[in-house]
Amino acid sequence: GENVEQHPSTLSVQEGDSAVIKCTYSDSASNYFPWYKQELGKRPQLIIDIRSNVGEKKDQRIAVTLNKTAKHFSLHITETQPEDSAVYFCAASITRNTGNQFYFGTGTSLTVIP
Amino acid sequence: DTAVSQTPKYLVTQMGNDKSIKCEQNLGHDTMYWYKQDSKKFLKIMFSYNNKELIINETVPNRFSPKSPDKAHLNLHINSLELGDSAVYFCASSQRGSPLHFGNGTRLTVT
């Protein structure tokens, strides 16, 4: 099955700085890459996603890039705020007739220091 | 309110007991999932059902038995609970080509 690696496992940044989280995947059939944010004690929630026919997508302070050739994708958060502190998960998904299968990275615990 | 809802939110039980977790989605999605999140926060797929049919069973012990009576429900029954089963279990659903929507999780503690 798909193998998704995510780095770093922990990340501390000063408020206002940028944060970058990187993921790689193994299965070239993966064609959909969502990112989730999980606050303490809560469920993972989608923050941004990108499909394999797009190289970059931006939504306000959050952007995601995808390099299909190298099989890696990254999350960029600019102007970080304390409320960005959470665990972030990348995922790689393969779309099949029987639905999408999602495989998650191991998570990055982001701490934004005020 | 459209959502993925799972019950109970907390489950504390002793080793050897049998317990069930229920999940329902009213989003009209075709695919439902169970994920296990351990103490290290890893999100690991356990099962995936599409229109009531089992698609994925990721080397989960056969003490875990999912049941999908219809495409809006996916329940999880666990027999002979072990200490290592303690985790947060998330139900989720998706439509083909779209993101996962998670339930609020069930925190299972086995003592």
Side-chain angles (χ1 to χ4, degrees):
Chain A
E2 173 67 282
N3 182 43
V4 180
E5 295 192 358
Q6 181 172 347
H7 299 281
S9 57
T10 59
L11 180 59
S12 290
V13 299
Q14 291 288 336
E15 182 176 358
D17 287 350
S18 295
V20 180
I21 301 170
K22 298 184 178 183
C23 290
T24 61
Y25 61 99
S26 60
D27 194 332
S28 56
S30 290
N31 57 1
Y32 176 57
F33 306 89
W35 286 85
Y36 288 82
K37 175 183 180 183
Q38 187 178 25
E39 295 175 347
L40 191 61
K42 297 194 174 179
R43 60 184 170 170
Q45 293 199 286
L46 179 76
I47 55 171
I48 195 167
D49 56 7
I50 191 167
R51 299 185 189 277
S52 59
N53 58 349
V54 175
E56 184 172 358
K57 184 176 178 181
K58 190 173 181 181
D59 182 3
Q60 299 182 353
R61 296 186 297 108
I62 295 173
V64 58
T65 59
L66 170 65
N67 183 326
K68 280 196 314 182
T69 304
K71 296 200 191 74
H72 64 71
F73 56 116
S74 301
L75 178 72
H76 304 251
I77 306 173
T78 58
E79 300 170 25
T80 52
Q81 301 166 4
E83 51 265 39
D84 294 330
S85 296
V87 179
Y88 291 81
F89 292 95
C90 63
S93 180
I94 302 170
T95 304
R96 305 191 196 281
N97 288 337
T98 51
N100 276 62
Q101 303 309 327
F102 294 84
Y103 296 89
F104 284 85
T106 48
T108 296
S109 179
L110 173 65
T111 302
V112 179
I113 304 164
Chain B
D1 198 16
T2 55
V4 179
S5 57
Q6 56 182 107
T7 55
K9 188 172 172 66
Y10 299 98
L11 195 47
V12 181
T13 188
Q14 291 185 327
M15 283 174 55
N17 284 349
D18 304 338
K19 289 294 178 185
S20 292
I21 308 172
K22 294 187 175 182
C23 180
E24 175 183 5
Q25 56 95 4
N26 60 4
L27 297 165
H29 291 166
D30 289 330
T31 311
M32 294 187 72
Y33 313 77
W34 279 108
Y35 280 85
K36 179 181 180 181
Q37 187 170 45
D38 61 21
S39 57
K40 293 183 179 178
K41 303 295 185 186
F42 297 157
L43 272 168
K44 186 171 168 52
I45 180 74
M46 298 175 68
F47 300 102
S48 161
Y49 270 73
N50 182 259
N51 283 316
K52 303 190 299 176
E53 291 193 21
L54 178 66
I55 304 300
I56 281 186
N57 176 345
E58 286 278 336
T59 60
V60 176
N62 58 15
R63 298 182 295 104
F64 291 78
S65 51
K67 281 190 173 51
S68 183
D70 56 60
K71 76 172 195 176
H73 295 83
L74 180 61
N75 304 321
L76 184 64
H77 188 76
I78 316 169
N79 289 326
S80 304
L81 278 155
E82 301 177 356
L83 292 176
D85 298 332
S86 295
V88 179
Y89 292 83
F90 284 101
C91 177
S93 72
S94 78
Q95 193 65 355
R96 186 170 177 270
S98 295
L100 275 171
H101 294 253
F102 285 91
N104 286 325
T106 296
R107 182 174 294 277
L108 172 65
T109 303
V110 182
T111 61

